[in-house]
């Protein structure tokens, strides 16, 4: 099949959506399909090492005409899209803001969409309406987590939670108070609240703790300012090479599925800060969450968990959770997720 994926950002931008689409596209290419990714991340169009074609939209935003400029670029490439068997949009923005007018005239491809996460909390009515509008125009829809069905009105036909991007090949995990966070330093991750409770727990127990941040965002300086005589913060800009951080981590602060699953595959215990209703449902999309995660629904629970780990009493529970989680990680693969997509594409092509 000729498959085109539309995604806002790709490498060198690093995030859960970017990494997910990269792995899914690679697995589809390995299975013998002709795969193209269309993205607005600047760069020359190339065919990468996985034999996936990366096409870059050459659109310069000019308000209030930006959306029309995206539509114009898409229209100029309509013959390419008309030849595709599948057009797969990752999140509704790539369909509404980039492609929408072509939907009326290009009806032969299978239309698919994946909803990768939530836009904001509380949910905005505008986002909910655009999600529902887009889903109604798709032949098949996918969601990264069951929690999406609880908070949005869009139709989701199939859900999955992802798979580890990296797996431990050597080394042995040892319990120690080195905490790791990989992801965006943004308010919706609750990482500032988590760091504040960890700093307070270190001071209260008078035990040394460190938090390594791998990522970029607005909260960098706010978190760095939490350093005290018992608590250290180390910041590293976003990088795709995080294996070394995972190898030396004591505990992962997990706020996104991919960082959580990577920690599972490295036998690293995970603290899940479920501090908002949507985050509670988000983490509960993972199987057997109470046994696989150190699950905290309040800042008080976070503080107690950190104090228990720093005192050493909590590592038996953490180790047990990591062992259970490793079994889950071993059962999840990107090949299986790509097959879920391909099987459903084929069903709708036959109709």
């Amino acid at each position: 099949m000729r498959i085109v994926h539309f995604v806002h950002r790709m490498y060198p931008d690093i995030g859960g959506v970017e990494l997910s689409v990269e792995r899914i596209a690679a697995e589809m290419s390995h299975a013998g399909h002709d795969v193209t990714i269309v993205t607005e991340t600047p760069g020359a169009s190339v065919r990468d090492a996985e034999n996936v074609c990366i096409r870059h939209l050459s659109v310069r935003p000019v308000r209030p005409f930006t959306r029309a400029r995206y539509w114009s670029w898409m229209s100029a490439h309509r013959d390419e899209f008309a030849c595709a068997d599948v057009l797969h949009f990752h999140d509704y923005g790539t369909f509404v803001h980039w492609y929408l007018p072509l939907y009326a005239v290009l009806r032969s491809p299978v239309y698919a969409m994946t909803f990768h996460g939530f836009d904001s909390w509380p949910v905005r009515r505008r986002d909910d309406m655009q999600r529902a509008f887009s889903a109604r125009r798709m032949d098949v829809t996918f969601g990264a987590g069951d929690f999406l069905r609880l908070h949005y009105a869009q139709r989701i036909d199939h859900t999955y939670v992802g798979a580890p991007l990296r797996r431990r090949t050597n080394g042995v995990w040892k319990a120690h108070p080195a905490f790791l966070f990989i992801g965006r330093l943004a308010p919706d991750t609750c990482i500032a609240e988590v760091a504040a409770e960890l700093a307070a727990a270190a001071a209260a127990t008078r035990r040394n703790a460190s938090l390594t941040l791998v990522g970029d965002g607005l909260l960098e300086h706010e978190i760095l300012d939490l350093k005290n005589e018992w608590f250290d913060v180390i910041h590293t800009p976003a990088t795709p090479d995080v294996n070394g951080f995972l190898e030396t981590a004591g505990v992962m602060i997990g706020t996104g599925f991919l960082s959580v699953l990577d920690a599972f595959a490295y036998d690293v215990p995970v603290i899940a800060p479920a501090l908002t209703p949507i985050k509670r449902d988000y983490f509960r999309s993972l199987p057997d969450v109470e046994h696989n995660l150190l699950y905290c629904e309040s800042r008080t629970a976070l503080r107690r968990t950190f104090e228990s780990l720093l005192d050493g009493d909590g590592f038996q529970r953490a180790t047990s959770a990591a062992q259970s989680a490793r079994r889950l990680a071993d059962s999840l693969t990107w090949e299986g997720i790509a097959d879920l997509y391909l099987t459903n594409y084929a069903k709708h092509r036959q109709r």
Side-chain angles (χ1 to χ4, degrees):
M1 285 187 284
R2 293 183 297 276
I3 303 163
V4 181
H5 292 275
F6 300 86
V7 60
H8 284 288
R9 311 298 293 174
M10 286 296 293
Y11 185 83
D13 291 323
I14 300 168
V17 178
E18 294 92 328
L19 293 168
S20 294
V21 174
E22 177 185 294
R23 292 310 320 145
I24 290 167
E27 293 295 341
M28 290 179 174
S29 178
H30 295 163
H33 300 281
D34 183 350
V35 184
T36 297
I37 297 174
V38 177
T39 177
E40 63 183 333
T41 299
S45 294
V46 298
R47 188 169 290 275
D48 70 8
E50 305 285 356
N51 202 31
V52 174
C53 180
I54 311 294
R55 296 291 306 274
H56 298 274
L57 284 78
S58 53
V59 174
R60 184 169 60 90
V62 178
R63 295 180 179 273
F65 307 108
T66 301
R67 186 180 297 175
R69 290 167 68 88
Y70 279 117
W71 289 348
S72 177
W73 190 96
M74 289 286 162
S75 181
H77 294 80
R78 60 179 293 175
D79 291 344
E80 185 178 333
F81 303 139
C83 292
D85 297 299
V86 179
L87 300 177
H88 194 131
F89 302 88
H90 292 271
D91 291 319
Y92 67 86
T94 57
F95 177 70
V96 173
H97 303 308
W98 293 5
Y99 183 88
L100 184 58
L102 285 181
Y103 176 79
V105 294
L106 296 184
R107 301 311 309 275
S108 57
V110 170
Y111 280 79
M113 181 172 290
T114 298
F115 297 97
H116 285 274
F118 62 94
D119 304 284
S120 63
W121 181 258
V123 171
R124 294 175 298 199
R125 179 170 174 78
R126 176 187 64 190
D127 297 329
D128 200 17
M129 292 176 64
Q130 290 191 82
R131 283 168 173 260
F133 169 84
S134 301
R136 284 196 295 269
R137 280 143 189 85
M138 298 296 116
D139 296 302
V140 60
T141 58
F142 304 88
D146 286 329
F147 78 100
L148 291 166
R149 289 176 167 143
L150 302 176
H151 294 276
Y152 292 99
Q154 85 278 325
R155 183 190 94 247
I156 294 180
D157 301 317
H158 308 276
T159 62
Y160 61 92
V161 294
L165 292 162
R166 309 159 185 92
R167 297 180 188 271
R168 181 188 290 277
T169 56
N170 52 50
V172 178
W173 173 78
K174 295 180 180 179
H176 57 88
F179 296 84
L180 173 65
F181 171 80
I182 300 174
R184 295 176 299 106
L185 305 179
D188 64 283
T189 65
C190 299
I191 186 57
E193 293 91 333
V194 172
E197 294 304 329
L198 178 53
T205 59
R206 302 177 71 83
R207 300 292 178 89
N208 289 312
S210 67
L211 172 62
T212 298
L213 306 170
V214 182
D216 303 301
L218 299 173
L219 299 178
E220 175 188 342
H221 296 294
E222 178 181 338
I223 298 171
L224 288 171
D225 287 343
L226 294 170
K227 289 184 180 182
N228 60 48
E229 63 176 312
W230 301 103
F231 177 59
D232 191 23
V233 182
I234 304 101
H235 175 247
T236 298
T239 172
D241 185 15
V242 299
N243 300 64
F245 298 104
L246 288 163
E247 287 283 0
T248 58
V251 179
M252 171 74 83
I253 308 298
T255 62
F257 285 149
L258 297 191
S259 65
V260 167
L261 294 172
D262 276 353
F264 286 177
Y266 270 73
D267 306 301
V268 177
V270 177
I271 291 179
L275 303 184
T276 63
I278 199 166
K279 272 294 187 180
R280 290 167 198 153
D281 292 328
Y282 178 90
F283 285 115
R284 290 189 179 280
S285 292
L286 291 163
D288 207 11
V289 64
E290 287 84 1
H291 292 97
N292 293 329
L293 298 165
L294 304 179
Y295 181 75
C296 302
E297 290 194 349
S298 68
R299 295 186 63 161
T300 300
L302 271 173
R303 176 85 65 90
R304 289 173 179 165
T305 298
F306 284 135
E307 290 178 351
S308 177
L309 289 170
L310 293 173
D311 282 333
D313 299 333
F315 272 107
Q316 182 175 356
R317 178 186 166 212
T319 302
S320 176
Q323 291 171 344
S324 174
R326 178 59 185 262
R327 291 190 288 272
L328 171 63
D330 288 343
S331 71
L332 301 173
T333 66
W334 291 105
E335 181 181 10
I337 294 167
D339 186 62
L340 172 69
Y341 279 18
L342 293 168
T343 299
N344 283 280
Y345 296 163
K347 286 180 181 178
H348 288 277
R349 285 187 67 205
Q350 293 168 2
R351 292 182 180 178

